[in-house]
Amino acid sequence: DIQMTQSPSTLSASVGDRVTITCRASQSINSWLAWYQQKPGKAPNLLIYKASTLQTGVPSRFSGSGSGTEFTLTISSLQPDDFASYHCQQYHAYPLSFGGGTEVEI
Amino acid sequence: EVWLLESGGTLVQPGGSLTLSCAASGFTFGSHAISWVRQAPGKGLEWVAGINERGIGTLYADSVKGRFTVSRDNSKNTLSLLMNSLRAEDTAIYYCAKRLIADTGPFDYWGQGTLVTVSS
């Protein structure tokens, strides 16, 4: 099974900051990685897939990079609406698996 | 407009059974694999079970294999999750989510979730 490790688990930042979250896979997943944003009491929302493809409607301040086992999600200029939890997910192989999540807080 | 809507979550005793349902609309239901993903209180996301477009292929996480059964009715655009021998560690919000492309890709649409609490 493929294990996904996210870091940090919590990130304190301010509006306007550049924020980077890292996700590592226990084996190569090529570029089959997605990032989701989740707000309290809500379902996850797809931000990025195939490591770097922005989902329709997602602001361009979000970007993803990486391949193989190391991936990053970057928010170029943090906005008030971006304070949320972020999850990475591999869909290279079953069982599908998620990272532990990163909470971005003020 | 694409939507998925789960129902059936409730309080159940350890060892009990429960069936969750997921109704969907706004897309060609029979062309997409769908999964159940759960989130325990204050925890991360855990993939639980998946079923392919035709309902022929099913897969399960080791934590639920042999206890949970996923099925779908493409004529009614519905998905079900039969949960047996429930344990306290099954307590979570359960989401149904569709794959972006057939039986591959990320989850591009999710339901709002239904809460299952396993407790005596």
Side-chain angles (χ1 to χ4, degrees):
Chain A
D1 296 1
I2 300 172
Q3 313 302 321
M4 305 300 294
T5 304
Q6 253 181 272
S7 61
S9 56
T10 305
L11 189 160
S12 297
S14 301
V15 173
D17 284 353
R18 182 182 181 87
V19 166
T20 298
I21 299 169
T22 298
C23 183
R24 290 187 173 87
S26 60
Q27 65 189 73
S28 177
I29 58 170
N30 297 317
S31 295
W32 305 121
L33 183 102
W35 289 98
Y36 301 87
Q37 179 191 66
Q38 186 180 27
K39 296 184 177 178
K42 300 294 186 181
N45 180 52
L46 177 64
L47 296 176
I48 288 169
Y49 62 97
K50 208 174 178 184
S52 61
T53 302
L54 211 60
Q55 173 69 337
T56 302
V58 174
S60 59
R61 63 182 179 272
F62 291 92
S63 64
S65 64
S67 66
T69 61
E70 289 237 3
F71 302 87
T72 59
L73 170 70
T74 299
I75 309 172
S76 60
S77 179
L78 201 63
Q79 298 302 300
D81 192 48
D82 301 338
F83 291 95
S85 293
Y86 294 85
H87 307 270
C88 63
Q89 180 226 339
Q90 67 81 16
Y91 52 95
H92 173 68
Y94 283 100
L96 307 180
S97 49
F98 293 85
T102 296
E103 182 177 358
V104 176
E105 61 180 24
I106 301 173
Chain B
E1 179 193 2
V2 174
W3 57 262
L4 298 98
L5 182 65
E6 305 90 343
S7 61
T10 189
L11 172 65
V12 60
Q13 291 192 337
S17 298
L18 191 64
T19 299
L20 303 183
S21 298
C22 172
S25 180
F27 63 99
T28 305
F29 187 77
S31 295
H32 293 269
I34 300 184
S35 283
W36 289 95
V37 177
R38 69 185 181 184
Q39 187 169 35
K43 302 295 185 182
L45 300 166
E46 179 189 14
W47 176 81
V48 172
I51 186 166
N52 68 2
E53 307 93 289
R54 292 190 174 186
I56 298 171
T58 57
L59 289 162
Y60 300 91
D62 286 346
S63 57
V64 306
K65 200 173 295 182
R67 300 187 298 122
F68 289 13
T69 303
V70 59
S71 60
R72 66 190 293 163
D73 184 339
N74 286 350
S75 69
K76 296 181 180 179
N77 285 13
T78 58
L79 181 80
S80 295
L81 183 68
L82 170 61
M83 305 185 293
N84 292 322
S85 303
L86 283 162
R87 307 166 180 166
E89 54 264 35
D90 296 318
T91 294
I93 296 172
Y94 285 73
Y95 298 99
C96 59
K98 70 173 277 290
R99 302 293 291 271
L100 176 64
I101 304 170
D103 191 17
T104 186
F107 298 115
D108 62 339
Y109 286 94
W110 299 61
Q112 91 291 344
T114 189
L115 176 62
V116 173
T117 303
V118 184
S119 175
S120 54

